[in-house]
Amino acid sequence: MAASKSQWLTFSITLALASTAISFYLSRRKTKSKSSGEVNKKIHELEASLKSALEKCAAERQGRIRAQQALRKSLSGPTSVNLELNSYPMAPIAIVHSCFSTRNGTPRQPLLVPLARASLIFDSSRVPPASLEGLEGYSHCWIIYVFHLNTDLEKLWKPSSQSKFKAKVRVPRLKGGKMGVFATRSPHRPCPIGLTVAKVEAIRGHILLLSGVDLVDGTPVLDVKPYLPYCDSILGATVPDWVKEDRLLTVASVNFSEGFSSSLADCWTMAEKKSLYASPSEFEILIRQVLSWDIRSISQRSRPHDFPVHTETGSTVDDASTLEHYQEDEAFENGFSAVIYHLILEGLDVSYRIDSKCNVIVENITVSSYTQTLS
Ligand SMILES: *[C@@H]1O[C@H](CO)[C@@H](O)[C@H](O)[C@H]1NC(C)=O
Ligand SMILES: *[C@@H]1O[C@H](CO)[C@@H](O)[C@H](O)[C@H]1NC(C)=O
């Protein structure tokens, strides 16, 4: 709309200038001309033709608008009065290949883990690499994606009368209290679309390399837009108190077990080819950065460590806690039972313990039996 308006303006201005130029030219000729009556006639003729050209142009524009309206109307179908019968055929333009193999351990916010890398692999049959030209000029970009791991996605294909989404979601920070879905970032929304921001690292053909991501491997991407600090960052923006209470917890320390390095070296030969990381030591820094935040859910955190913890699968809770943590408890020789947590990065299973003072010990790393989108 804006484009056609500006084209229209340009066109009008051009015509107006042309008309002025002609008038000027004719007025200069006037002195030499046989009769000024003839010139005036010519001017009137030109003015009339300009007027009709402008009218024709306006009519064409009206016609275009009417055609667009008709198209929209026909798309929505003759029987549909309700908005809900409309759908828009949007398909992912790219798939995320990220270091986070599962939701467990995927950061709760973007930019928390600087070394969290992902490549967005664009479908080059639909989106030519030239579409990415110029994006490297921005430090950050927005990513609009689909919550493809929602267990209730099949609802989307049901008639809306049968696919009622929950208007309110449980918010862990409110200790079971509920909040309207649009006051949260819950993945369980009428349109399961997520929004995040990431650092633009590089563009290689049809691949966009990012860091600081909070995206799980395999995430379908709907759109990418540049981050504009002058309008996307709002000074003095406020949030409700219950959101302020969701402090992200940092752990006291992260230490690695003695045998860890050699275990990582063993795994690395398998992981190396597909890795977003250059070396085992860089990968170790990633592990350290991910585990420097307490990535356990609130319920896992609040339970005593010698108590078996069960995963809350499929529960409708806020974004921050739907990350499914799977764990098993293991008995130790001294009789003290401690929970072993697992974090899966690039298909490697990192096992760790955390004590009551939030010191993390990374126990071991093995090739995970978990095989999702890594093939
Ligand atoms: C972990 O390492 C830090 C030094 O980085 C050390 O001060 C701390 O005592 C260690 N914690 C444990 C539990 O070993
Ligand atoms: C680490 O895992 C590997 C492979 O499962 C195993 O052989 C090794 O004993 C483990 N190391 C430790 C310290 O548990």
Side-chain angles (χ1 to χ4, degrees), residues 257 259 263 363-366:
S257 73
S263 291
E363 297 273 329
N364 204 351
I365 183 164
T366 61

Side-chain angles (χ1 to χ4, degrees), residues 178-305:
K178 290 183 169 186
M179 214 24 94
V181 64
F182 298 125
T184 75
R185 296 203 188 183
S186 166
H188 301 282
R189 354 183 35 90
C191 294
I193 293 172
L195 173 68
T196 191
V197 74
K199 189 164 189 293
V200 176
E201 292 290 346
I203 292 164
R204 308 244 188 284
H206 68 296
I207 298 175
L208 169 59
L209 298 170
L210 302 167
S211 67
V213 301
D214 61 352
L215 295 166
V216 70
D217 194 48
T219 296
V221 172
L222 296 175
D223 200 10
V224 170
K225 299 178 204 282
Y227 177 86
L228 306 175
Y230 63 87
C231 59
D232 291 346
S233 148
I234 302 165
L235 225 73
T238 58
V239 299
D241 288 342
W242 62 269
V243 172
K244 288 178 200 156
E245 280 160 28
D246 185 34
R247 287 191 306 117
L248 288 151
L249 300 175
T250 54
V251 301
S253 71
V254 180
N255 288 294
F256 291 82
S257 73
E258 262 181 43
F260 183 83
S261 290
S262 67
S263 291
L264 177 54
D266 291 346
C267 295
W268 192 252
T269 49
M270 274 197 67
E272 194 172 15
K273 267 183 280 149
K274 288 172 190 161
S275 185
L276 294 159
Y277 300 87
S279 63
S281 56
E282 196 178 35
F283 194 74
E284 195 171 310
I285 301 170
L286 169 73
I287 296 169
R288 187 181 282 282
Q289 286 185 0
V290 173
L291 293 179
S292 68
W293 299 98
D294 191 344
I295 57 175
R296 297 167 305 158
S297 71
I298 306 240
S299 63
Q300 284 176 341
R301 225 182 283 157
S302 59
R303 284 181 214 204
H305 279 207

Side-chain angles (χ1 to χ4, degrees), residues 155-164:
K155 271 187 180 177
L156 292 177
W157 283 269
K158 286 184 181 164
S160 58
S161 55
Q162 292 167 37
S163 64
K164 289 238 154 45

